[in-house]
């Protein structure tokens, strides 16, 4: 049931959400003549689930299963981002002579090349002047480390770090006559990251009222015992 529910994200929700924001941006342009990007717009949609957290009468839902549900959701999000950045790798195979890169992008790439360690085979085959492709390959390495739950310092610690790299690519493209590439390749991915993060959705943890009542009863008994012990010490 957990896996079945998660399948809706890569099948429809992840790719549909940016299209909804494109329609919002188009409506603003049509109604008010305002040009804007989709990713800075307020977060209008929130996604949640109960599957894997509904322990209110379901004997199969344990704490271990809830942890697995959260882990599977995280992997679903990261797998999608890895695939999306691989598209950037294929589409942004341009040299600095064709599309220059900003100083911020070059600086970030140099930092990753120093800190991430042994480069992947694809990176070793990529010319040094293909800045966008090289940074995208580094981002995949960081995402894969996050998916594997590695504790290495080079992995993404949060979705905000991943979004920061995407924003660096977008800004550099916009500065160097690559606004169309920024809008079609990077902007939709930024919208997804802002909404889904690395967790994909929130998970309701539901418990039967009898369990809550039992816990409250235990707490009440404990409080009475503590009060009794205190009185005895005072006497």
């Amino acid at each position: 049931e957990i896996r079945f529910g998660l399948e809706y994200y890569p099948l429809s929700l992840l790719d549909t959400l940016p299209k909804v924001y494109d329609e919002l941006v188009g409506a603003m342009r049509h109604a008010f003549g305002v040009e804007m990007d989709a990713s800075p717009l307020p977060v209008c949609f929130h996604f949640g689930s109960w599957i894997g957290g509904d322990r209110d009468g379901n004997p199969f839902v344990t704490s271990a299963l809830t942890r697995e549900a959260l882990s599977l959701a995280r992997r679903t999000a990261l797998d999608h981002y890895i695939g999306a950045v691989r598209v950037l790798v294929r589409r942004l195979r341009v040299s600095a002579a064709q599309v220059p890169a900003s100083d911020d992008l070059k600086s970030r790439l140099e930092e990753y090349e120093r800190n991430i360690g042994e480069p992947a085979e694809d990176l070793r085959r990529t010319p040094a002047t293909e800045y966008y492709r090289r940074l995208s390959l580094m981002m995949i390495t960081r995402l894969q480390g996050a998916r594997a739950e590695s504790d290495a310092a080079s992995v993404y610690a949060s979705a905000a770090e991943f979004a920061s790299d995407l924003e660096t690519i977008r800004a550099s493209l916009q500065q160097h006559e690559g606004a169309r590439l920024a809008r079609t390749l990077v902007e939709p991915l930024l919208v997804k990251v802002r909404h889904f993060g690395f967790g994909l959705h929130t998970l309701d943890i539901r418990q039967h009222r009898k369990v809550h009542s039992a816990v409250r009863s235990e707490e009440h008994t404990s409080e009475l015992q503590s009060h009794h012990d205190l009185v005895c010490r005072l006497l």
Side-chain angles (χ1 to χ4, degrees):
E1 187 180 1
I2 294 168
R3 295 179 186 276
F4 180 77
L6 290 173
E7 285 180 0
Y8 285 97
Y9 287 88
L11 285 175
S12 60
L13 293 174
L14 282 158
D15 287 330
T16 298
L17 186 69
K19 297 175 184 178
V20 173
Y21 276 85
D22 284 343
E23 291 185 6
L24 290 173
V25 169
M28 293 291 289
R29 184 188 307 114
H30 177 75
F32 304 107
V34 176
E35 293 291 341
M36 61 176 63
D37 292 328
S39 61
L41 291 174
V43 173
C44 302
F45 304 94
H46 300 272
F47 297 84
S49 176
W50 71 92
I51 307 173
D54 52 331
R55 62 191 69 230
D56 48 344
N58 189 338
F60 298 104
V61 179
T62 62
S63 57
L65 190 66
T66 298
R67 284 193 292 270
E68 183 179 0
L70 292 168
S71 180
L72 287 170
R74 175 181 171 86
R75 276 179 266 168
T76 298
L78 289 167
D79 284 344
H80 183 81
Y81 298 151
I82 290 168
V85 178
R86 283 183 176 141
V87 173
L88 296 184
V89 170
R90 294 195 300 270
R91 297 288 301 277
L92 295 179
R93 185 176 285 185
V94 293
S95 72
Q98 297 168 298
V99 182
S102 67
D103 290 340
D104 286 344
L105 190 147
K106 292 177 184 177
S107 176
R108 189 158 302 191
L109 177 58
E110 290 172 1
E111 176 189 345
Y112 290 169
E113 289 176 338
R114 286 195 307 269
N115 298 334
I116 288 181
E118 182 65 22
E121 180 64 27
D122 285 344
L123 190 63
R124 290 197 292 268
R125 295 198 303 263
T126 301
T129 55
E130 291 186 10
Y131 297 111
Y132 294 99
R133 186 167 190 264
R134 292 181 68 84
L135 180 58
S136 297
L137 287 167
M138 288 289 187
M139 291 164 64
I140 290 175
T141 298
R142 299 192 74 192
L143 287 167
Q144 289 172 333
R147 189 192 186 283
E149 298 182 3
S150 169
D151 58 359
S154 59
V155 308
Y156 284 120
S158 67
E161 291 184 0
F162 176 44
S164 176
D165 282 346
L166 291 173
E167 287 166 354
T168 298
I169 292 176
R170 180 183 63 176
S172 181
L173 288 171
Q174 289 174 334
Q175 292 168 18
H176 299 98
E177 300 183 358
R180 183 180 61 83
L181 289 172
R183 184 175 63 256
T184 58
L185 296 179
V186 185
E187 193 72 19
L189 187 49
L190 273 169
V191 170
K192 295 174 189 178
V193 175
R194 288 195 64 212
H195 284 75
F196 297 104
F198 281 178
L200 192 66
H201 59 209
T202 59
L203 183 66
D204 290 350
I205 307 298
R206 302 177 181 178
Q207 185 56 275
H208 197 278
R209 65 178 181 83
K210 289 182 179 180
V211 178
H212 290 292
S213 297
V215 171
R216 292 183 62 188
S217 178
E218 289 177 6
E219 291 176 348
H220 181 63
T221 301
S222 176
E223 289 175 0
L224 288 176
Q225 185 63 48
S226 298
H227 180 70
H228 177 269
D229 293 343
L230 177 61
V231 171
C232 288
R233 286 198 300 271
L234 291 173
L235 293 176

